[in-house]
Amino acid sequence: MKPNFCVNIDKLRLKNPVIVASGTFGYAEEFKDIVDLKKLGGIVSKTITLNPRKGNPPPRTCETPAGMLNSIGLENPGVKVFLKEKLPVLKKIGVPIIVSIASESGPEEFVSLAKQLDKIACIAAIELNISCPNVSRLAGVPVSRCADKLISQDADSTYALVNAVRKVTKKTLITKLSPNITDITEIASAAQTAGSNAVSLINTIAAMSIDIEKKSFKIASGVAGLSGPAIKPIAVRMVWEVYQKIKIPIIGMGGIMNTADAIEFFLAGSSAIAIGTANFINPGINVEIIDGIKKYMIKNKIKGLKNLTGGLII
Amino acid sequence: MIFQIKAKVFENIRVAQEYYKIILFCPAIAESAKPGQFVNIKVSDTIEPFLRRPFSIHQAGNQYPETKNRIEILYAAVGIGTQLLAQKKPGEFLDIIGPLGNGFNYMDSKQKATRQILVAGGMGVAPLLFFAKRYPLNGMILIGTKTKNQILCEKDFEKLGLDVKIATDDGSRGFKGRVTELLKNVLRTTQYARRTMIYACGPHPMLQEISRISKKYNIQAQISLEEHMCCGVGACLGCVIETKQGYKRVCKEGPIFNAQEIIWGKNTL
Ligand SMILES: Cc1cc2nc3c(=O)[nH]c(=O)nc-3n(C[C@H](O)[C@H](O)[C@H](O)COP(=O)(O)OP(=O)(O)OC[C@H]3O[C@@H](n4cnc5c(N)ncnc54)[C@H](O)[C@@H]3O)c2cc1C
Ligand SMILES: Cc1cc2nc3c(=O)[nH]c(=O)nc-3n(C[C@H](O)[C@H](O)[C@H](O)COP(=O)(O)O)c2cc1C
Ligand code: FES
């Protein structure tokens, strides 16, 4: 038996359901020596903004039990340099390229970015990062000093933003959701109603670590995003909740380290999964998980991914 | 070219106090590694500790029979990861990624200088021995530690014909005081102040002081920096350091930087 391993999300065709999560795989070229990039189901770029962004001051990362904190602050070279220098390299790999975008100013920047990307054939989909905990809507102000709300913490803002972007592009739209919220399903529904073709969840969880010797934050910006196995059970729960509520596909992520973790996300309702922090620990893990899911499906006589998604028996 | 390899442990021995040396079998990395580069090591098979640990390559390559197909890491057991590393037994395997980073620039030294001063603070001898073994040097090494029991690799440097000078904080060996004070003495009293390139590795306060000294004497210094790392390959942007040209990744544009490029702030290690 050869299980059907393809996933279609609107016009986005993935040959397998394993993609790499935004911000954890750079622009892919960094891993070319040690990962067989052609085998990936898809690649999500580091989030880009209209203008180059310097990012947050160091230290930007620290280790925590079963995970890590990061506050990169969306450092990126801006869309112009991305299109000129990074995209051509990504394109050559030959797997679907999903470009993650965010705004430093307001919804208009998302619209302007989407318009530019819409014209470029080799971009398979756009991911709207409305959930980065490490930037506020005021450019450059660390969240610790500015308790501004994220777009994905408000259903109306989410609807308005996705709706505005939807109007300017026919490309597959994926909306990336924040777990830093009471009811994530409201945001997922708003994204669906506004015309998003899929949701991806979860982004990192707002968190903090303190150095007790220095009596200071371990991360310069104070608040940072928690990722890795520590967040997996929360992510699985959120995927399951969203799956009950919406019809569009879910790209599940949050702490996936191995095949068993990945299968949990499918059973909870994911149509595809993304590997994030695990890329830092074992860059070869993507390919291992692709093979592992296949084996699991064969062993359990599961014909296609459709039969695995939401396969949780309650 | 970067490799991810399951490297077999040959030997893992304590060399002094909390300092250890581990020898790993990994021909691909050993062959291509340059002095100043590092490897990112997974020290356990479980998710604790979670991240890999970066270590400079201490010796490698086929130049000497004792390092053929092998790399050596000199490390201090200071926390959970390095303490686990110290427990590894010969025959066990470690998942390592490398060689990473840019490495020291020796050509620069040849063009712009006729002498080299190597300055090591504590563990800082680790990449400098590899450097001294690889390239013909005309100069000296200053090794600074808290006390005499922590002095590493003194004999190795002597064997290579380098003039070795020691500084200890407590005065138990050599110059009493900081290695940077010793450096100032050397620059003041010898011909070393001209056409000299400094190569330094050690704690950041020491490197910051070396930046200051090298500026004052108008000589160049290449310094090896540290920052918390995740991917080690330039993807996560987690390891940046502030430079005059903006943030740079220690794992990719570094770990070796020109001392004058660095903007020293309170947030570096
Ligand atoms: C390029 C580079 C080369 C290095 N070369 C050597 C070497 O040759 N020998 C040696 O003994 N040490 C070296 N270090 C430092 C070494 O990486 C740390 O001592 C080690 O990561 C500590 O891990 P731990 O679990 O024992 O300590 P913990 O304090 O428990 O570590 C907690 C976290 O902080 C990080 N961390 C702690 N100290 C440092 C540090 N100084 N630099 C970067 N991350 C740190 C750890 O990686 C880990 O993620 C190097 C660091 C870098 C960046
Ligand atoms: C260092 C780092 C940088 C990240 N950068 C981004 C980013 O630019 N855009 C984004 O949408 N998510 C970003 N994320 C979040 C991940 O894409 C992912 O949603 C999250 O880490 C949870 O998955 P994981 O536990 O598998 O890493 C980043 C995560 C990490 C660890
Ligand atoms: S450690 Fe990831 S960019 Fe340097």
Side-chain angles (χ1 to χ4, degrees), chain A residues 52-82:
Chain A
R53 241 186 100 86
K54 191 173 176 206
N56 289 342
R60 291 178 170 180
T61 61
C62 80
E63 188 176 66
T64 58
M68 59 169 281
L69 299 188
N70 90 81
S71 180
I72 309 299
L74 296 187
E75 176 179 340
N76 78 93
V79 68
K80 237 194 230 142
V81 174
F82 171 77

mmCIF file of all heavy atoms in Angstrom, chain A residues 52-82:
data_model
loop_
_atom_site.group_PDB
_atom_site.id
_atom_site.type_symbol
_atom_site.label_atom_id
_atom_site.label_comp_id
_atom_site.label_asym_id
_atom_site.label_seq_id
_atom_site.Cartn_x
_atom_site.Cartn_y
_atom_site.Cartn_z
ATOM 1 N N PRO A 52 13.524 47.122 5.833
ATOM 2 C CA PRO A 52 14.425 46.299 6.640
ATOM 3 C C PRO A 52 14.162 46.562 8.121
ATOM 4 O O PRO A 52 13.815 47.674 8.501
ATOM 5 C CB PRO A 52 15.818 46.804 6.262
ATOM 6 C CG PRO A 52 15.654 47.563 4.999
ATOM 7 C CD PRO A 52 14.248 48.051 4.950
ATOM 8 N N ARG A 53 14.324 45.513 8.937
ATOM 9 C CA ARG A 53 14.116 45.662 10.378
ATOM 10 C C ARG A 53 15.337 45.169 11.113
ATOM 11 O O ARG A 53 15.840 44.080 10.851
ATOM 12 C CB ARG A 53 12.920 44.808 10.799
ATOM 13 C CG ARG A 53 11.774 45.574 11.389
ATOM 14 C CD ARG A 53 10.722 44.594 11.884
ATOM 15 N NE ARG A 53 10.853 44.434 13.307
ATOM 16 C CZ ARG A 53 10.291 45.228 14.201
ATOM 17 N NH1 ARG A 53 9.541 46.229 13.812
ATOM 18 N NH2 ARG A 53 10.453 45.023 15.481
ATOM 19 N N LYS A 54 15.782 45.964 12.034
ATOM 20 C CA LYS A 54 17.007 45.644 12.764
ATOM 21 C C LYS A 54 16.793 44.512 13.770
ATOM 22 O O LYS A 54 17.701 43.739 14.057
ATOM 23 C CB LYS A 54 17.475 46.907 13.485
ATOM 24 C CG LYS A 54 18.861 46.777 14.044
ATOM 25 C CD LYS A 54 19.380 48.078 14.616
ATOM 26 C CE LYS A 54 20.737 47.823 15.234
ATOM 27 N NZ LYS A 54 21.099 48.723 16.292
ATOM 28 N N GLY A 55 15.600 44.413 14.308
ATOM 29 C CA GLY A 55 15.339 43.383 15.312
ATOM 30 C C GLY A 55 15.675 43.875 16.704
ATOM 31 O O GLY A 55 16.098 45.016 16.894
ATOM 32 N N ASN A 56 15.478 42.995 17.685
ATOM 33 C CA ASN A 56 15.650 43.369 19.089
ATOM 34 C C ASN A 56 17.098 43.220 19.544
ATOM 35 O O ASN A 56 17.867 42.466 18.962
ATOM 36 C CB ASN A 56 14.731 42.509 19.964
ATOM 37 C CG ASN A 56 13.270 42.881 19.775
ATOM 38 O OD1 ASN A 56 12.951 43.958 19.263
ATOM 39 N ND2 ASN A 56 12.375 41.988 20.155
ATOM 40 N N PRO A 57 17.458 43.931 20.623
ATOM 41 C CA PRO A 57 18.834 43.825 21.122
ATOM 42 C C PRO A 57 19.115 42.455 21.730
ATOM 43 O O PRO A 57 18.197 41.789 22.199
ATOM 44 C CB PRO A 57 18.896 44.906 22.208
ATOM 45 C CG PRO A 57 17.489 45.185 22.588
ATOM 46 C CD PRO A 57 16.650 44.884 21.398
ATOM 47 N N PRO A 58 20.380 42.020 21.731
ATOM 48 C CA PRO A 58 20.736 40.757 22.379
ATOM 49 C C PRO A 58 20.835 40.930 23.892
ATOM 50 O O PRO A 58 20.995 42.068 24.333
ATOM 51 C CB PRO A 58 22.108 40.448 21.768
ATOM 52 C CG PRO A 58 22.683 41.769 21.360
ATOM 53 C CD PRO A 58 21.520 42.676 21.073
ATOM 54 N N PRO A 59 20.771 39.879 24.678
ATOM 55 C CA PRO A 59 20.540 38.501 24.240
ATOM 56 C C PRO A 59 19.095 38.274 23.791
ATOM 57 O O PRO A 59 18.162 38.767 24.399
ATOM 58 C CB PRO A 59 20.858 37.661 25.487
ATOM 59 C CG PRO A 59 21.024 38.606 26.626
ATOM 60 C CD PRO A 59 21.082 39.987 26.108
ATOM 61 N N ARG A 60 18.992 37.484 22.723
ATOM 62 C CA ARG A 60 17.684 37.245 22.113
ATOM 63 C C ARG A 60 17.113 35.870 22.406
ATOM 64 O O ARG A 60 15.951 35.607 22.082
ATOM 65 C CB ARG A 60 17.815 37.373 20.593
ATOM 66 C CG ARG A 60 18.073 38.778 20.085
ATOM 67 C CD ARG A 60 18.224 38.737 18.578
ATOM 68 N NE ARG A 60 18.232 40.072 17.997
ATOM 69 C CZ ARG A 60 18.345 40.302 16.688
ATOM 70 N NH1 ARG A 60 18.456 39.277 15.854
ATOM 71 N NH2 ARG A 60 18.338 41.526 16.231
ATOM 72 N N THR A 61 17.944 34.974 22.902
ATOM 73 C CA THR A 61 17.438 33.612 23.131
ATOM 74 C C THR A 61 17.944 33.082 24.466
ATOM 75 O O THR A 61 18.986 33.509 24.962
ATOM 76 C CB THR A 61 17.936 32.629 22.039
ATOM 77 O OG1 THR A 61 19.364 32.593 22.076
ATOM 78 C CG2 THR A 61 17.469 33.039 20.664
ATOM 79 N N CYS A 62 17.198 32.177 25.048
ATOM 80 C CA CYS A 62 17.726 31.404 26.167
ATOM 81 C C CYS A 62 17.017 30.073 26.263
ATOM 82 O O CYS A 62 15.910 29.900 25.758
ATOM 83 C CB CYS A 62 17.648 32.185 27.480
ATOM 84 S SG CYS A 62 16.050 32.190 28.264
ATOM 85 N N GLU A 63 17.721 29.142 26.878
ATOM 86 C CA GLU A 63 17.175 27.799 27.035
ATOM 87 C C GLU A 63 16.245 27.765 28.238
ATOM 88 O O GLU A 63 16.497 28.435 29.241
ATOM 89 C CB GLU A 63 18.350 26.846 27.242
ATOM 90 C CG GLU A 63 17.989 25.396 27.232
ATOM 91 C CD GLU A 63 19.235 24.533 27.335
ATOM 92 O OE1 GLU A 63 19.900 24.583 28.389
ATOM 93 O OE2 GLU A 63 19.541 23.822 26.389
ATOM 94 N N THR A 64 15.168 26.992 28.146
ATOM 95 C CA THR A 64 14.257 26.800 29.275
ATOM 96 C C THR A 64 13.953 25.307 29.348
ATOM 97 O O THR A 64 14.298 24.570 28.426
ATOM 98 C CB THR A 64 12.942 27.580 29.060
ATOM 99 O OG1 THR A 64 12.341 27.145 27.838
ATOM 100 C CG2 THR A 64 13.170 29.087 29.009
ATOM 101 N N PRO A 65 13.308 24.834 30.431
ATOM 102 C CA PRO A 65 12.995 23.398 30.482
ATOM 103 C C PRO A 65 12.178 22.972 29.252
ATOM 104 O O PRO A 65 11.145 23.559 28.958
ATOM 105 C CB PRO A 65 12.174 23.267 31.771
ATOM 106 C CG PRO A 65 12.664 24.393 32.627
ATOM 107 C CD PRO A 65 12.945 25.525 31.669
ATOM 108 N N ALA A 66 12.685 21.989 28.511
ATOM 109 C CA ALA A 66 12.018 21.460 27.324
ATOM 110 C C ALA A 66 11.631 22.536 26.321
ATOM 111 O O ALA A 66 10.587 22.455 25.677
ATOM 112 C CB ALA A 66 10.794 20.637 27.710
ATOM 113 N N GLY A 67 12.471 23.521 26.181
ATOM 114 C CA GLY A 67 12.159 24.544 25.185
ATOM 115 C C GLY A 67 13.111 25.707 25.240
ATOM 116 O O GLY A 67 14.211 25.607 25.787
ATOM 117 N N MET A 68 12.688 26.792 24.662
ATOM 118 C CA MET A 68 13.536 27.986 24.624
ATOM 119 C C MET A 68 12.684 29.237 24.473
ATOM 120 O O MET A 68 11.534 29.178 24.058
ATOM 121 C CB MET A 68 14.507 27.904 23.446
ATOM 122 C CG MET A 68 13.814 27.789 22.095
ATOM 123 S SD MET A 68 14.936 28.020 20.694
ATOM 124 C CE MET A 68 15.091 29.801 20.663
ATOM 125 N N LEU A 69 13.283 30.366 24.835
ATOM 126 C CA LEU A 69 12.644 31.654 24.599
ATOM 127 C C LEU A 69 13.377 32.347 23.462
ATOM 128 O O LEU A 69 14.590 32.222 23.341
ATOM 129 C CB LEU A 69 12.743 32.549 25.835
ATOM 130 C CG LEU A 69 12.104 32.091 27.135
ATOM 131 C CD1 LEU A 69 12.172 33.220 28.154
ATOM 132 C CD2 LEU A 69 10.682 31.649 26.910
ATOM 133 N N ASN A 70 12.619 33.083 22.648
ATOM 134 C CA ASN A 70 13.274 33.941 21.676
ATOM 135 C C ASN A 70 12.564 35.269 21.581
ATOM 136 O O ASN A 70 11.362 35.367 21.779
ATOM 137 C CB ASN A 70 13.345 33.273 20.292
ATOM 138 C CG ASN A 70 12.134 33.587 19.432
ATOM 139 O OD1 ASN A 70 12.049 34.657 18.799
ATOM 140 N ND2 ASN A 70 11.166 32.683 19.424
ATOM 141 N N SER A 71 13.368 36.281 21.321
ATOM 142 C CA SER A 71 12.822 37.588 21.001
ATOM 143 C C SER A 71 13.709 38.196 19.923
ATOM 144 O O SER A 71 14.588 38.993 20.194
ATOM 145 C CB SER A 71 12.797 38.480 22.238
ATOM 146 O OG SER A 71 12.271 39.740 21.886
ATOM 147 N N ILE A 72 13.496 37.715 18.705
ATOM 148 C CA ILE A 72 14.316 38.169 17.579
ATOM 149 C C ILE A 72 13.820 39.553 17.146
ATOM 150 O O ILE A 72 14.608 40.401 16.736
ATOM 151 C CB ILE A 72 14.222 37.174 16.387
ATOM 152 C CG1 ILE A 72 14.484 35.735 16.838
ATOM 153 C CG2 ILE A 72 15.148 37.594 15.254
ATOM 154 C CD1 ILE A 72 15.828 35.460 17.434
ATOM 155 N N GLY A 73 12.526 39.757 17.265
ATOM 156 C CA GLY A 73 11.972 41.056 16.877
ATOM 157 C C GLY A 73 11.870 41.231 15.375
ATOM 158 O O GLY A 73 12.014 42.330 14.852
ATOM 159 N N LEU A 74 11.621 40.105 14.695
ATOM 160 C CA LEU A 74 11.415 40.118 13.238
ATOM 161 C C LEU A 74 12.532 40.808 12.458
ATOM 162 O O LEU A 74 12.281 41.544 11.510
ATOM 163 C CB LEU A 74 10.062 40.760 12.878
ATOM 164 C CG LEU A 74 8.812 40.040 13.370
ATOM 165 C CD1 LEU A 74 7.566 40.704 12.776
ATOM 166 C CD2 LEU A 74 8.825 38.559 13.002
ATOM 167 N N GLU A 75 13.774 40.558 12.855
ATOM 168 C CA GLU A 75 14.879 41.065 12.038
ATOM 169 C C GLU A 75 14.758 40.479 10.630
ATOM 170 O O GLU A 75 14.611 39.268 10.458
ATOM 171 C CB GLU A 75 16.234 40.647 12.641
ATOM 172 C CG GLU A 75 17.385 41.073 11.750
ATOM 173 C CD GLU A 75 18.762 40.721 12.298
ATOM 174 O OE1 GLU A 75 18.880 40.491 13.506
ATOM 175 O OE2 GLU A 75 19.706 40.668 11.494
ATOM 176 N N ASN A 76 14.764 41.344 9.640
ATOM 177 C CA ASN A 76 14.729 40.876 8.249
ATOM 178 C C ASN A 76 15.185 41.996 7.333
ATOM 179 O O ASN A 76 15.165 43.164 7.706
ATOM 180 C CB ASN A 76 13.320 40.375 7.892
ATOM 181 C CG ASN A 76 12.359 41.508 7.602
ATOM 182 O OD1 ASN A 76 12.180 41.912 6.463
ATOM 183 N ND2 ASN A 76 11.757 42.061 8.659
ATOM 184 N N PRO A 77 15.613 41.625 6.109
ATOM 185 C CA PRO A 77 16.208 42.644 5.223
ATOM 186 C C PRO A 77 15.181 43.495 4.477
ATOM 187 O O PRO A 77 15.569 44.357 3.691
ATOM 188 C CB PRO A 77 17.029 41.798 4.245
ATOM 189 C CG PRO A 77 16.314 40.499 4.188
ATOM 190 C CD PRO A 77 15.715 40.281 5.544
ATOM 191 N N GLY A 78 13.884 43.246 4.714
ATOM 192 C CA GLY A 78 12.861 43.991 3.980
ATOM 193 C C GLY A 78 12.503 43.295 2.684
ATOM 194 O O GLY A 78 13.283 42.494 2.153
ATOM 195 N N VAL A 79 11.337 43.612 2.152
ATOM 196 C CA VAL A 79 10.808 42.851 1.013
ATOM 197 C C VAL A 79 11.682 42.995 -0.231
ATOM 198 O O VAL A 79 11.861 42.038 -0.985
ATOM 199 C CB VAL A 79 9.331 43.219 0.713
ATOM 200 C CG1 VAL A 79 9.184 44.640 0.182
ATOM 201 C CG2 VAL A 79 8.710 42.219 -0.250
ATOM 202 N N LYS A 80 12.255 44.161 -0.445
ATOM 203 C CA LYS A 80 13.040 44.387 -1.674
ATOM 204 C C LYS A 80 14.222 43.432 -1.745
ATOM 205 O O LYS A 80 14.423 42.741 -2.741
ATOM 206 C CB LYS A 80 13.539 45.842 -1.683
ATOM 207 C CG LYS A 80 13.091 46.592 -2.936
ATOM 208 C CD LYS A 80 13.865 47.883 -3.090
ATOM 209 C CE LYS A 80 12.906 49.042 -3.330
ATOM 210 N NZ LYS A 80 13.323 50.273 -2.654
ATOM 211 N N VAL A 81 14.991 43.416 -0.665
ATOM 212 C CA VAL A 81 16.163 42.534 -0.626
ATOM 213 C C VAL A 81 15.722 41.074 -0.630
ATOM 214 O O VAL A 81 16.343 40.221 -1.269
ATOM 215 C CB VAL A 81 17.035 42.842 0.617
ATOM 216 C CG1 VAL A 81 18.167 41.841 0.756
ATOM 217 C CG2 VAL A 81 17.577 44.256 0.538
ATOM 218 N N PHE A 82 14.623 40.789 0.078
ATOM 219 C CA PHE A 82 14.119 39.412 0.080
ATOM 220 C C PHE A 82 13.863 38.940 -1.345
ATOM 221 O O PHE A 82 14.301 37.854 -1.742
ATOM 222 C CB PHE A 82 12.837 39.308 0.914
ATOM 223 C CG PHE A 82 12.147 37.974 0.770
ATOM 224 C CD1 PHE A 82 12.632 36.855 1.424
ATOM 225 C CD2 PHE A 82 11.031 37.827 -0.054
ATOM 226 C CE1 PHE A 82 12.024 35.612 1.275
ATOM 227 C CE2 PHE A 82 10.415 36.594 -0.209
ATOM 228 C CZ PHE A 82 10.920 35.487 0.454
#
